[in-house]
Amino acid sequence: DALFNLGLAYRYGEGVEQDMGKAVEFYEKAAMQGHVMSRNNLGISEVGKGNHDRAVRHLLISAKMGHENSIGAIKEMFVAGVATKEQYAEALKGYQNALEEMKSHDRDEAKRLGY
């Protein structure tokens, strides 16, 4: 989380001079440690640069880790014609698989009880 938060600080210039290059560096470090939102942000960054193939790769990884926003981003890319139907379907399937893996009776019971 610390690396991701540093990335956000540089992205938005909060307490530091705004620097997207440094933001991406911190997102990359966090993503390599499994931080799903960093992976999503790398994908969004690549979309902004016009690197659609790289963007889809990052977004597929985060979708398969259960990050819902990545599904929306890939859908937008599909609608715009820069991602394929197969990539969008793969993202949906990966996201659904991640949700299934996270299901548990104890988690459902805790949610039912309001925790």
Side-chain angles (χ1 to χ4, degrees), residues 100-109:
E100 289 296 321
E101 287 178 14
M102 289 188 275
K103 279 188 178 181
S104 76
H105 173 72
D106 292 340
R107 185 173 282 143
D108 292 341
E109 184 66 12

Side-chain angles (χ1 to χ4, degrees), residues 10 18 25 53-54 56-57 68 92 94 102 108-109:
Y10 278 102
Q18 190 174 14
E25 285 179 35
D53 289 338
R54 287 179 58 100
V56 168
R57 282 192 302 238
E68 187 174 4
L92 287 171
M102 289 188 275
D108 292 341
E109 184 66 12

Side-chain angles (χ1 to χ4, degrees), residues 5-35:
N5 288 333
L6 283 169
L8 288 178
Y10 278 102
R11 178 179 180 181
Y12 296 109
E14 295 177 2
V16 295
E17 188 174 327
Q18 190 174 14
D19 185 332
M20 269 309 287
K22 284 189 179 181
V24 167
E25 285 179 35
F26 283 110
Y27 291 153
E28 287 172 344
K29 290 177 182 179
M32 293 303 291
Q33 294 181 19
H35 195 274

